[in-house]
Amino acid sequence: MKTVNFPYIALALGLFLMMVVLKGSEVTSEGVTALPLLTLLIANECAFILTAIGAFIGIRQLKSINYKLTQNPLYTMTTILCILLTIQFTLLGINLWPM
């Protein structure tokens, strides 16, 4: 596999892990989350690292083609979504920590 394709994989796995963390962090009527806190934090951290690497590889690839947005708009959008997911996982991890 070429590393150029990694942002696509990072985006797909990041979205899946976002769904897992969001559904797992819902609090039941007893005040307990659906998944244990450590599991939520580990999944969140793995997703953060995965999307951060996807964003890094995407930015590096876009730099190598001089940011030609019209050349590959899907790749550009995937890189932007990886950046946004990285930010979201950072904020979600901060919100999960004091539980």
Side-chain angles (χ1 to χ4, degrees), residues 5-6 16 18-19 21-22 34 39 45 47-48 50 54 60-61 64 67-68 77-78 81-82 87:
N5 297 327
F6 188 77
F16 174 73
M18 176 67 77
M19 183 182 65
V21 171
L22 288 177
T39 304
E45 183 178 353
F48 167 78
L50 184 74
R60 190 176 66 186
Q61 177 65 20
S64 73
Y67 296 109
K68 294 180 182 172
M77 187 55 121
T78 302
L81 288 174
C82 280
I87 294 168

Side-chain angles (χ1 to χ4, degrees), residues 3-98:
T3 58
V4 171
N5 297 327
F6 188 77
Y8 297 120
I9 297 168
L11 179 64
L13 289 174
L15 289 173
F16 174 73
L17 288 172
M18 176 67 77
M19 183 182 65
V20 168
V21 171
L22 288 177
K23 287 302 247 180
S25 63
E26 291 177 355
V27 180
T28 62
S29 60
E30 293 88 28
V32 180
T33 58
L35 290 173
L37 180 59
L38 186 58
T39 304
L40 292 172
L41 290 171
I42 289 173
N44 190 58
E45 183 178 353
C46 289
F48 167 78
I49 292 170
L50 184 74
T51 55
I53 292 171
F56 174 76
I57 291 172
I59 290 170
R60 190 176 66 186
Q61 177 65 20
L62 289 174
K63 276 179 143 177
S64 73
I65 60 171
N66 295 325
Y67 296 109
K68 294 180 182 172
L69 298 177
T70 57
Q71 186 174 7
N72 199 346
L74 179 64
Y75 195 82
T76 305
M77 187 55 121
T78 302
T79 303
I80 291 170
L81 288 174
C82 280
I83 293 168
L84 293 175
L85 274 177
T86 302
I87 294 168
Q88 183 63 31
F89 280 121
T90 302
L91 297 174
L92 189 59
I94 291 170
N95 288 336
L96 283 174
W97 188 252

